[in-house]
């Protein structure tokens, strides 16, 4: 979706109560930071001198965060709504165009029907026979509500709708069709359909079967109103908050999901560029998405037609509140959250800003740790800093949770809708296949030839010519074949005819076809490999061919081999509509793959999926969050529900499930953020003997180090990588600004590597703590900051493992929360003794050497 237009926060904020509430809380906290800063300046300016810069940075950070957080929440909510209604708007036009494409093929084929051409040419004169044949066609292709044959003067020769009897038409489409070498598409009022305000008609001229002269016109009248009602009923949102529309090129409503809301004939505003802006219609403001047709198989669709969805802004951001997060395991939830930069940039920005504020508060507490005497005047202010910092963190966490929930719920709804679209595309396509085989089985030449006792080479060749003509018009089939009552194939199209002609269909299929009760029934093979399709998997549709003079006598059958490999994949790709990091599959109830967009999972393989998703009810959808191919992903599934009578009332049952995966990023071992309640510290009565510690996370464990030794923390992104270090624990250097404006470079060590011997994975939460001991200063890479609490000496105990080896940095354990939480305390002396062991030059190299090494690295990478 285009991102060129900046979303105006103030435009949408009044319609988002949750975001407005968040903004109010942010403003209150911003005011609190100002009060704290002013109190420090007035009450103890000298004592607060060391923390005033930090407090100013905190206030500045809050002002920026207030703007960024609110705008990010508003932006993501607006874009989610536009994406959802956009998917549905595109579906409206795409499914209509795909359906009408089939009509262009139908009219081209039926206009050459020999029986009908003979009647229009006057070779035969039975109107009843012609009407019967047209009604048989209508019984198969139920999308038509009228079929008419006319002569060149517009006189009606025969029609099938008795409710609107016609004798003559003066419509200009008659002359236009007679002069055209292809079909003519008409959508307007016409005397051919006097009971309707407008009709969608596909017409084509007919030729004399012997002379080739133009003799008349065939009109197929598409049941447009019924088709649109079916689309809207199946895919409009259940709460009816939005309206689905089909528009013409003048932005006039052709069809509406709710005629009382937006009636046909109304001109509406459109949004073809997907811009995040409100559009006024009849005194209400709407979010709108509009899509024109991209065409299908070379058919562009009716000129100017567009799909559109409109939703009033006052209800666009309400609706059912999702609880998707509460249903996820912490590992999945936090794993997805670790990839926020890719699946939700605004969420990532909020998380980054929240970490910045958390670090500022943590630094303020570290800087004043251990201060005594006059600095006690700062106690109240420090308490306020701590309390306000905690309130800030809670607000950030809730804001992130809300936006995270919005993004996930929207993505899951979109995935579910995509699977629903996929099974709908499939059912609609295969409906046409069931129509085709039954209609072609009524071809008189096929019926007469198969009724013969012997079928000679000449008769078989004639059958082959008929099949070749049909197959030329219907390219979704790789082979059409005819077999006699014994199952022997006597004519076929396609490759490898030497191995096909004379062979027999399997006995089970022949038995099914021979027992079909009427011309309305058909048989479909299971989706399985077939020698008629190069031993690849496909569906083969069969219909019984009956004797001309006896409908009860089955004399053979016709089989049509669906070109499933490209056709199914094209449906899957159309349903995904180019969405990034999405893959789609058609599977059966056992999870066997019928088709997929992922080449690593071939047809016939079993898709690894939750068995519960394979049990989804027909016409329904389910979704969830899983790990798929080592990636965090949303998975959704929908089961086919049929189309019109196909798989609904025609006796055919073959459930197909569409499955969609949307991946967000690789699983990161140890990426779980340590913000759970099990690490919250309970406050205890303070004492002058208490010792202050800076606490932080590494390897999902809580550690502590004397706050007196910690100077501050900076984001890991500030670290400069270098190849000059001689130890694996070194991850780079960090430049510190000093009062004299000169930079001091220090080494940064990976604490996780120092403890366990393997490199830590840096994330967006990674921080570098600057620790000083004596004359030396180093940086320690840790996973995340925690707090700066006080502990009594009684809570600190020595660990029995303290002296086992030089690498054992933890010499004490702090018993917090009444002993229910143990915090590992790192001994500063031991840490520096281990790091400063003579093999690492201290202080680090001069800045010019670091710059030279980095330049050399860049040159090597460029080479």
């Amino acid at each position: 979706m285009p991102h060129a237009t900046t979303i105006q926060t103030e435009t949408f904020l009044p319609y988002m109560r949750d975001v407005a509430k968040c903004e109010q809380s942010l403003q209150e906290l911003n005011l609190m930071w100002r009060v704290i800063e002013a109190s420090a300046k007035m009450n103890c300016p000298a004592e607060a001198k060391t923390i005033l810069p930090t407090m100013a940075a905190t206030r500045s950070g809050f002002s920026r965060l207030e703007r960024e957080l609110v705008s990010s929440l508003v932006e993501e909510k607006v874009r989610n709504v536009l994406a959802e209604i956009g998917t549905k708007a595109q579906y409206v036009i795409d499914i209509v165009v795909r359906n009408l494409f089939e009509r262009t093929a139908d009219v081209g084929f039926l206009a050459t029907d020999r029986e009908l051409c003979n009647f229009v040419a006057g070779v035969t004169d039975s109107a009843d026979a012609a009407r019967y044949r047209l009604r048989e066609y209508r019984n198969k292709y139920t999308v038509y509500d009228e079929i008419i044959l006319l002569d060149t003067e517009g006189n009606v020769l025969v029609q099938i709708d008795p409710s609107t009897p016609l004798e003559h038409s003066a419509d200009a489409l008659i002359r236009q069709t007679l002069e055209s070498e292809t079909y003519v598409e008409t959508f307007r009022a016409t005397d051919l359909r006097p009971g309707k305000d407008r009709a969608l008609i596909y017409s084509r001229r007919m030729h004399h079967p012997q002379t080739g002269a133009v003799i008349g016109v065939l009109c197929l009248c598409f049941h447009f109103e019924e088709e649109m009602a079916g689309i809207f009923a199946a895919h409009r949102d259940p709460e009816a908050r939005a309206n689905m529309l089909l528009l013409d090129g003048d932005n006039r409503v052709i069809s509406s999901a709710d005629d009382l809301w937006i009636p046909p004939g109304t001109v509406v505003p459109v949004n073809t560029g997907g811009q995040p802006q409100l559009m006024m219609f009849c005194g209400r403001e709407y979010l709108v998405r509009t899509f024109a047709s991209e065409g299908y198989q070379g058919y562009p669709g009716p000129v100017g037609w567009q799909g559109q969805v409109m939703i009033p802004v006052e209800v666009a951001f309400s609706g059912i509140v999702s609880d998707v997060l509460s249903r996820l395991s912490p590992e999945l939830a936090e794993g997805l959250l670790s990839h926020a930069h890719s699946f939700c940039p605004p969420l990532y920005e909020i998380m980054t800003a929240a970490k910045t504020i958390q670090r500022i508060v943590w630094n303020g507490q570290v800087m004043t740790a251990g201060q005594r005497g006059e600095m006690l005047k700062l106690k109240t202010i420090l308490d306020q800093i701590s309390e306000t910092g905690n309130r800030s963190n809670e607000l950030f966490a809730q804001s992130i949770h809300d936006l995270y929930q919005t993004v996930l719920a929207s993505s899951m709804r979109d995935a579910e809708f995509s699977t629903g679209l996929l099974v709908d595309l499939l059912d609609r396509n295969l409906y046409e296949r069931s129509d085709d085989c039954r209609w072609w089985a009524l071809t008189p030449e096929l019926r007469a030839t198969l009724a013969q006792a012997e079928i000679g080479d000449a008769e078989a060749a004639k059958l082959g010519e008929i099949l070749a003509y049909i197959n030329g018009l219907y390219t979704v089939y790789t082979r059409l074949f005819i077999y006699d009552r014994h199952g022997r194939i006597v004519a076929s199209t396609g490759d490898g005819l030497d191995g096909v002609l004379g062979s027999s269909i399997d006995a089970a299929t022949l038995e099914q076809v021979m027992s079909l009760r009427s011309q309305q029934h058909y048989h479909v093979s299971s989706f399985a490999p077939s020698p008629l399709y190069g031993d690849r998997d496909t569906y083969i549709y069969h219909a019984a061919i009956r004797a001309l003079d006896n409908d009860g006598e089955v004399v053979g059958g016709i089989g049509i081999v669906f070109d499933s490999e490209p056709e199914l994949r094209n449906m899957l790709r159309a349903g995904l509509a180019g969405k990034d990091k999405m893959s789609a599959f058609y599977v059966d109830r056992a999870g066997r793959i019928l088709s997929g967009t992922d080449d690593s999972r071939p047809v016939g393989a079993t898709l690894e999926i939750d068995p519960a998703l394979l049990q989804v009810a027909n016409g329904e959808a389910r979704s969830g969050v899983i790990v798929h191919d080592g990636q965090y992903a949303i998975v959704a599934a929908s089961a086919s529900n049929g189309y019109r009578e196909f798989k609904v009332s025609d006796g055919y049952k073959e459930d197909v499930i569409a499955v969609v995966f949307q991946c967000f990023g690789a699983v990161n071992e140890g990426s779980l953020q340590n913000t759970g309640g099990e690490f919250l510290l309970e406050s205890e009565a303070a004492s002058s003997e208490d010792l202050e510690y800076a606490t932080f996370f590494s390897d999902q464990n809580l550690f502590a180090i004397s706050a007196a030794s910690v100077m501050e923390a900076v984001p890991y992104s500030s670290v400069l990588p270098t190849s000059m270090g001689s130890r694996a624990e070194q991850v780079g250097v960090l430049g510190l600004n000093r009062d004299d404006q000169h930079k001091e470079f220090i080494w940064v060590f990976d604490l996780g590597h120092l403890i366990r011997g393997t490199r830590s994975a840096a994330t967006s939460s990674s921080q570098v703590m600057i620790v000083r001991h004596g004359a030396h200063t180093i940086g320690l890479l840790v996973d995340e900051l925690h707090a700066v609490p006080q502990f009594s000496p009684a809570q600190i105990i020595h660990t029995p493992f303290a002296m086992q080896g030089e690498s054992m940095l933890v010499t004490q354990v702090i018993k917090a929360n009444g002993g229910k939480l143990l915090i590992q305390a790192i001994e500063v002396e031991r840490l520096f003794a281990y790091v400063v062991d003579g093999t690492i030059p201290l202080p680090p190299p001069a800045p010019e050497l670091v710059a030279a090494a980095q330049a050399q690295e860049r040159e090597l990478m460029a080479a």
Side-chain angles (χ1 to χ4, degrees):
M1 187 178 65
H3 286 250
T5 301
T6 302
I7 292 177
Q8 299 299 318
T9 301
E10 61 274 9
T11 300
F12 295 99
L13 190 58
Y15 305 103
M16 302 177 182
R17 285 179 294 179
D18 54 341
V19 181
K21 183 178 179 181
C22 175
E23 183 187 41
Q24 181 180 358
S25 298
L26 277 170
Q27 291 173 345
E28 293 173 355
L29 283 171
N30 199 346
L31 178 60
M32 182 63 69
W33 284 116
R34 291 178 180 274
V35 170
I36 293 172
E37 184 180 9
S39 298
K41 287 180 178 179
M42 289 186 296
N43 297 326
C44 45
E47 294 82 358
K49 182 179 179 180
T50 57
I51 65 168
L52 282 175
T54 298
M55 295 175 66
T58 301
R59 178 174 51 79
S60 174
F62 248 98
S63 297
R64 184 180 65 254
L65 180 64
E66 181 183 338
R67 296 188 299 271
E68 292 178 354
L69 177 56
V70 172
S71 63
S72 293
L73 287 168
V74 170
E75 178 177 333
E76 193 63 24
K77 282 177 175 284
V78 171
R79 295 200 186 281
N80 281 339
V81 170
L82 286 174
E84 285 190 52
I85 65 175
T87 299
K88 296 187 176 185
Q90 187 167 19
Y91 166 74
V92 170
I93 188 63
D94 284 352
I95 205 67
V96 167
V97 169
R98 282 173 171 265
N99 194 318
L100 299 187
F101 164 74
E102 299 283 352
R103 313 294 64 92
T104 66
D106 288 350
V107 73
F109 177 72
L110 192 59
T112 62
D113 182 84
R114 182 172 293 272
E115 296 297 302
L116 299 179
C117 288
N118 280 335
F119 170 73
V120 175
V123 176
T124 58
D125 59 1
S126 175
D128 289 340
R131 185 177 297 106
Y132 174 80
R133 185 155 180 79
L134 291 179
R135 284 179 173 165
E136 281 297 313
Y137 187 85
R138 165 62 176 78
N139 290 340
K140 311 298 184 291
Y141 299 84
T142 56
V143 294
Y144 301 111
D145 59 358
E146 171 71 296
I147 305 176
I148 308 171
L149 297 179
L150 306 98
D151 64 18
T152 56
E153 301 301 320
N155 297 310
V156 176
L157 303 178
V158 69
Q159 66 179 116
I160 64 170
D161 183 5
S163 65
T164 56
L166 301 173
E167 293 184 358
H168 179 82
S169 172
D171 197 298
L173 77 84
I174 305 298
R175 180 55 47 193
Q176 184 184 358
T177 304
L178 291 171
E179 295 174 354
S180 174
E181 294 184 357
T182 183
Y183 68 88
V184 173
E185 187 176 60
T186 306
F187 183 67
R188 54 173 168 76
T190 171
D191 60 6
L192 288 165
R193 299 297 284 144
K196 294 190 172 186
D197 295 332
R198 64 207 166 166
L200 181 55
I201 298 176
Y202 290 84
S203 56
R204 186 142 185 169
R205 69 188 187 188
M206 303 176 73
H207 298 265
H208 196 290
Q210 281 83 44
T211 66
V214 176
I215 55 173
V217 172
L218 165 71
C219 293
L220 291 179
C221 303
F222 183 62
H223 203 332
F224 177 75
E225 295 79 9
E226 183 181 78
E227 176 65 17
M228 293 309 302
I231 292 174
F232 294 147
H235 299 288
R236 190 182 181 193
D237 68 293
E239 298 173 295
R241 296 181 302 139
N243 201 2
M244 302 178 79
L245 306 169
L246 183 66
L247 312 179
D248 64 16
D250 297 322
N251 305 331
R252 193 177 304 275
V253 177
I254 300 172
S255 187
S256 171
D258 190 333
D259 290 352
L260 296 178
W261 184 355
I262 305 178
T266 306
V267 176
V268 295
V270 299
N271 184 13
T272 56
Q275 297 303 317
Q277 60 192 32
L278 293 179
M279 314 196 85
M280 184 68 73
F281 172 69
C282 290
R284 287 177 92 180
E285 290 183 304
Y286 288 81
L287 283 168
V288 179
R289 286 303 307 272
T290 314
F291 280 89
S293 169
E294 297 181 354
Y296 178 67
Q297 302 278 0
Y299 169 65
V303 177
W305 281 22
Q306 307 164 92
Q308 177 159 305
V309 173
M310 302 173 64
I311 184 167
V313 66
E314 65 267 23
V315 299
F317 308 105
S318 60
I320 300 172
V321 178
S322 172
D323 63 343
V324 58
L325 276 182
S326 65
R327 302 197 304 266
L328 297 183
S329 67
E331 291 77 13
L332 280 177
E334 297 298 342
L336 265 178
L337 198 59
S338 70
H339 292 282
H341 61 283
S342 62
F343 83 91
C344 180
L347 177 57
Y348 177 72
E349 292 167 8
I350 293 173
M351 292 166 59
T352 302
K355 293 298 179 186
T356 299
I357 301 299
Q358 180 192 26
R359 185 175 61 253
I360 289 173
V361 174
W362 192 89
N363 281 341
Q365 294 170 329
V366 164
M367 290 173 65
T368 58
Q371 302 292 339
R372 292 293 183 266
E374 293 297 314
M375 289 299 288
L376 290 175
K377 294 179 181 180
L378 279 175
K379 179 173 175 49
T380 302
I381 293 175
L382 294 178
D383 289 343
Q384 290 177 330
I385 290 177
S386 179
E387 179 184 348
T388 306
N390 290 336
R391 288 181 57 194
S392 303
N393 290 338
E394 291 173 4
L395 178 61
F396 303 151
Q398 187 60 47
S399 300
I400 290 171
H401 180 279
D402 292 345
L403 181 55
Y404 187 23
Q405 184 116 285
T406 297
V407 173
L408 272 183
S410 177
S411 297
M412 293 171 75
R413 286 194 302 269
D414 186 60
E416 288 183 6
F417 186 82
S418 295
T419 58
L421 169 59
L422 289 174
V423 289
D424 195 17
L425 288 174
L426 180 69
D427 284 342
R428 286 169 174 272
N429 190 300
L430 298 186
Y431 158 82
E432 304 286 347
R433 315 292 68 91
S434 69
D435 295 345
D436 291 346
C437 72
R438 290 178 294 164
W439 173 248
W440 296 336
L442 297 180
T443 305
E445 291 91 338
L446 303 184
R447 299 172 71 178
T449 302
L450 284 180
Q452 297 175 10
E454 290 271 343
I455 300 175
D457 292 342
E459 289 88 352
K462 182 63 177 176
L463 294 178
E465 291 176 7
I466 295 172
L467 295 180
Y469 170 73
I470 297 173
N471 210 163
L473 292 175
Y474 292 81
T475 56
V476 297
Y477 304 110
T478 57
R479 186 186 306 279
L480 310 183
F481 59 97
I482 300 293
Y483 47 93
D484 61 21
R485 68 184 76 207
H486 304 295
R488 186 177 66 90
I489 298 176
V490 297
S492 175
T493 63
D495 299 329
L497 291 182
D498 290 342
V500 172
L501 296 177
S503 65
S504 297
I505 65 171
D506 63 276
T509 298
L510 180 62
E511 181 181 359
Q512 290 284 344
V513 173
M514 297 298 290
S515 61
L516 291 174
R517 298 193 303 275
S518 72
Q519 296 170 346
Q520 286 297 102
H521 294 90
Y522 61 96
H523 169 71
V524 188
S525 68
S526 298
F527 193 84
S530 170
L532 297 171
Y533 191 55
D535 292 322
R536 294 171 294 163
D537 295 75
T538 191
Y539 291 115
I540 300 179
Y541 286 74
H542 295 263
I545 297 177
R546 302 170 187 273
L548 267 176
D549 55 357
N550 182 5
D551 280 350
E553 182 185 1
V554 177
V555 295
I558 181 171
I560 58 178
V561 181
F562 182 52
D563 194 4
S564 63
E565 193 168 87
E567 294 297 326
L568 294 182
R569 178 166 287 202
N570 287 341
M571 290 181 224
L572 292 172
R573 287 174 174 165
L576 295 183
K579 293 175 182 173
D580 293 336
K581 299 180 180 178
M582 262 196 173
S583 58
F585 298 88
Y586 286 127
V587 302
D588 61 20
R589 286 288 187 187
R592 183 173 177 270
I593 296 173
L594 312 185
S595 182
T597 60
D598 181 354
D599 293 335
S600 68
R601 289 177 166 83
V603 173
T606 299
L607 184 65
E608 305 88 353
I609 187 174
D610 183 353
L613 291 175
L614 298 176
Q615 302 304 315
V616 61
N618 295 100
E620 295 186 3
R622 292 184 187 175
S623 60
V625 180
I626 62 168
V627 173
H628 174 69
D629 285 348
Q631 300 246 332
Y632 297 109
I634 284 174
V635 59
S638 290
S640 58
N641 199 35
Y643 170 64
R644 305 184 74 88
E645 69 279 359
F646 178 69
K647 292 186 180 179
V648 176
S649 60
D650 62 1
Y652 176 47
K653 180 71 173 178
E654 177 77 6
D655 288 346
V656 175
I657 298 172
V659 180
V660 162
F661 295 98
Q662 182 178 6
C663 295
F664 294 112
V667 173
N668 295 322
E669 296 297 333
S671 66
L672 187 64
Q673 302 299 309
N674 298 286
T675 56
E678 66 270 24
F679 293 109
L680 294 177
L681 297 178
E682 300 171 1
S683 59
E684 300 183 11
S687 166
S688 60
E689 302 295 325
D690 287 353
L691 302 174
E692 291 177 282
Y693 282 83
T695 58
F696 55 90
F697 292 102
S698 181
D699 285 344
Q700 302 184 35
N701 293 311
L702 189 58
F703 287 85
I705 194 168
S706 173
S709 299
V710 179
M711 298 171 60
E712 62 176 322
V714 298
Y716 175 69
S717 58
S718 302
V719 175
L720 302 173
T722 176
S723 60
M724 297 178 64
S726 60
R727 293 177 59 177
E729 299 92 338
Q730 293 174 269
V731 293
V733 294
L734 186 65
L736 303 180
N737 291 318
R738 292 308 176 204
D739 293 338
D740 57 3
Q741 301 303 312
H742 289 91
K743 272 201 171 182
E744 173 189 354
F745 283 86
I746 65 171
W747 288 107
V748 178
F749 292 87
D750 180 355
L751 179 61
H753 198 295
L754 290 171
I755 293 174
R756 69 176 180 273
T758 57
R759 180 65 65 92
S760 300
T763 69
S764 59
S765 297
S766 297
Q767 308 285 330
V768 175
M769 294 194 314
I770 299 169
V771 184
R772 173 167 290 177
H773 179 64
H776 302 302
T777 305
I778 64 170
L780 281 183
L781 171 63
V782 300
D783 292 343
E784 191 173 359
L785 303 176
H786 181 246
V788 187
Q790 295 180 354
F791 300 106
S792 68
Q795 292 179 271
I796 303 169
I797 61 174
H798 285 275
T799 171
F801 309 108
M803 304 308 293
Q804 292 186 9
E806 185 182 35
S807 63
M808 296 302 295
L809 306 180
V810 177
T811 62
Q812 295 175 326
V813 173
I814 302 172
K815 297 191 298 181
N817 297 352
K820 292 179 290 186
L821 175 62
L822 297 181
I823 304 173
Q824 301 177 70
I826 292 177
E827 184 181 329
V828 176
E829 292 82 357
R830 184 176 287 271
L831 170 67
F832 276 80
Y834 182 54
V835 169
V836 186
D837 60 358
T839 63
I840 302 175
L842 286 175
E848 57 269 19
L849 294 180
V850 174
Q854 290 175 329
Q856 184 179 11
E857 279 193 345
R858 286 194 294 270
E859 290 175 2
L860 290 173
M861 292 178 65

